[in-house]
Amino acid sequence: MRLRRWAIAFAVAGLCVMGVTGTASAEPSDGPVVPPTAGPTAKIDPQFPGSWPRYRWHSAVGWLMMDVRLGGGHGAQVQLYGDNGTDPQLWVAEHAAEGGDFLHPGYNRWLCLDFNGERRAGAPILVNNCDGSDSQRWYYFGNGPGYALSSHSDYAFCIDVPGSNFSLEQPLQLWNCNNTAAQRWTL
């Protein structure tokens, strides 16, 4: 029994060393960009590839934009805010191999637009650390003179302005797609 424990410990230590020293290689993937988790010394590339499209999503009330509250990090609320041209209002699209796009706020490529996996009407729209989950993949389709942003995993739900209350700092939510102005976004 003691020999088996030592063998397991050495196997785990060997895997850890391979991961740290880079002697093991992984095939490149078209999955989401996920930040390294090695620790505080990991360097994050602040630049987005030039080939990734950039969007500024205007609500049906043109001067209000989709904005990350206070340019926050993991768990920050996405809201309506006055058009000020800042990076919390810029969304950079990264194509997901599984379909749809990951939408990153312009100031941090390691965050993704998300609804926290809560596939239900009323779920808050947030930015979270990118993890490749279904709740972080989005699809855009025509909605009158603009677009609706739908969850790629369930086209029945769209990003919505609750109660069509177009006001400053109004948090956004996931809601049943209904082709109303509350779900209409223009570029």
Side-chain angles (χ1 to χ4, degrees):
M1 185 68 163
R2 185 178 296 183
L3 182 58
R4 181 184 291 173
R5 285 184 190 155
W6 278 102
I8 291 171
F10 283 134
V12 170
L15 289 174
C16 290
V17 168
M18 286 175 52
V20 171
T21 62
T23 57
S25 65
E27 293 298 315
S29 72
D30 290 330
V33 177
V34 178
T37 57
T41 60
K43 293 185 180 180
I44 297 175
D45 180 4
Q47 301 298 316
F48 289 99
S51 60
W52 291 3
R54 284 139 171 84
Y55 302 108
R56 290 192 183 273
W57 296 104
H58 296 261
S59 70
V61 177
W63 65 276
L64 291 173
M65 309 278 294
M66 186 183 302
D67 174 275
V68 180
R69 183 170 174 75
L70 302 174
H74 178 75
Q77 177 73 47
V78 177
Q79 64 182 3
L80 291 179
Y81 201 77
D83 185 352
N84 58 22
T86 60
D87 288 345
Q89 296 178 348
L90 175 68
W91 297 91
V92 182
E94 174 190 7
H95 179 70
E98 304 87 354
D101 287 338
F102 298 103
L103 293 174
H104 305 278
Y107 60 90
N108 189 332
R109 73 182 284 182
W110 308 119
L111 294 174
C112 287
L113 189 66
D114 195 352
F115 56 88
N116 247 9
E118 296 182 53
R119 192 173 293 125
R120 63 172 176 79
I125 302 298
L126 313 166
V127 290
N128 281 329
N129 294 332
C130 297
D131 61 14
S133 64
D134 289 346
S135 64
Q136 294 181 346
R137 291 186 285 133
W138 299 92
Y139 172 73
Y140 342 113
F141 61 89
N143 177 9
Y147 298 91
L149 281 84
S150 169
S151 161
H152 191 272
S153 60
D154 188 343
Y155 298 129
F157 293 105
C158 291
I159 295 179
D160 180 89
V161 177
S164 294
N165 180 7
F166 291 93
S167 60
L168 205 57
E169 298 184 0
Q170 172 66 46
L172 301 179
Q173 68 178 359
L174 195 66
W175 198 258
N176 298 317
C177 295
N178 56 29
N179 288 325
T180 64
Q183 297 178 356
R184 189 169 302 128
W185 303 92
T186 59
L187 300 173

